[in-house]
Amino acid sequence: MQNSASRLGRPRDSQIDQAVLVAARELLAEAGYTRVTMDATAARAGVGKAAIYRRFGSKAELLFAAAVHGMDIEPPPDSGSLREDLCAMARIIHERLSSPAAREVIPALLAEMSRDAELAARLQNTFVARERRDLAAIVERALHRGELRRAPDPALAHLLLGGPLFLAPLVTPHPMDSAQLDTVASVVAAGLIAHCGELSSG
C-alpha cells in the first residue's frame, strides 16, 4: 500500500481534488469534525470513497488539507531580506490558522495525533515537510544574499516561526495583528542570523 506522501504528491484529477476538499469543508461547517466521515464526503463530492483514499490516508489528513493547507503551498515571493520574507510567511501561517475551519480541525487533530503515532508520522512526512520546504526556500535566499553563513536546521526554523503562531490562539484573547506578526518574524530573523552568523561585510 502506498504511503501518504506518495498519495499526496502524485498527479491527480484537479476537479476531483477540488470537489473532495469543498465537500469536506461544507461537512465540517455543518456537522463538526467528529461527525465528518469519508462516506459522507464521497457522497457530497459525487466520487467513490476509493478516490478519496487515493488522495488522503485518513479523515484527519483530508480535513487538514481542507481546513489548513494542502501540498500545493508555496513560499511568499522574494522580498529581498530574510526579515521581510519571514514577515510575509508569518502572515500566511496566521491566515491559515485563523479560519473557523482550522480552529475546528486543529484541536481535534492534535488529540488524534497523541493517540496515533502512525498518523503523526504521516502528517510529519507530508504537510509538515511541505511547510519546512517553504521555509527552507526562504533560508536559501538568505544564504545567497549573505544574511546567513550557514543554513539552520529546517525543523528549528519551522518551530521558531510556526510555534508562536500556532500557540497564540490558546494564550491570547484576540487574534494577532500585523504589528505583532511582524515582531514575531523579526525576532525569529534576528535569532537565525545570530545563530547562523552573518558574513563579514568587509
Side-chain angles (χ1 to χ4, degrees):
M1 184 175 181
Q2 290 178 311
N3 61 30
S4 292
S6 298
R7 280 193 296 269
L8 292 167
R10 64 187 290 183
R12 301 185 301 259
D13 185 324
S14 60
Q15 290 184 326
I16 293 178
D17 289 353
Q18 185 65 15
V20 167
L21 292 174
V22 168
R25 281 191 287 267
E26 290 175 352
L27 291 168
L28 182 66
E30 294 168 11
Y33 184 95
T34 58
R35 295 186 179 180
V36 176
T37 66
M38 297 297 239
D39 285 323
T41 304
R44 177 71 63 94
V47 302
K49 189 164 65 171
I52 300 180
Y53 278 112
R54 284 196 294 271
R55 291 159 170 79
F56 304 101
S58 66
K59 181 182 84 170
E61 290 155 270
L62 165 63
L63 291 182
F64 185 95
V68 185
H69 69 75
M71 293 293 288
D72 57 349
I73 58 173
E74 295 291 341
D78 190 342
S79 68
S81 77
L82 176 62
R83 178 190 176 280
E84 291 302 323
D85 278 359
L86 290 179
C87 285
M89 194 72 200
R91 295 186 196 107
I92 291 170
I93 295 170
H94 178 69
E95 182 178 0
R96 289 174 187 156
L97 296 178
S98 297
S99 72
R103 290 197 298 269
E104 170 85 17
V105 164
I106 288 172
L109 187 58
L110 288 173
E112 282 201 42
M113 290 170 65
S114 70
R115 299 188 298 266
D116 187 342
E118 183 179 346
L119 171 63
R122 290 202 306 269
L123 289 167
Q124 287 284 333
N125 291 329
T126 53
F127 299 110
V128 174
R130 190 62 185 81
E131 294 167 9
R132 288 178 180 167
R133 196 182 86 177
D134 283 357
L135 277 170
I138 289 174
V139 166
E140 187 66 22
R141 296 171 189 169
L143 287 166
H144 287 161
R145 295 187 202 105
E147 293 176 278
L148 300 176
R149 186 183 299 276
R150 58 185 175 83
D153 176 1
L156 173 64
H158 186 246
L159 179 63
L160 289 172
L161 184 63
L165 303 180
F166 191 84
L167 185 62
L170 301 178
V171 298
T172 59
H174 305 293
M176 297 179 72
D177 59 26
S178 294
Q180 290 171 317
L181 292 170
D182 287 353
T183 297
V184 169
S186 297
V187 170
V188 172
L192 290 176
I193 289 171
H195 181 64
C196 296
E198 290 183 309
L199 290 172
S200 171
S201 59

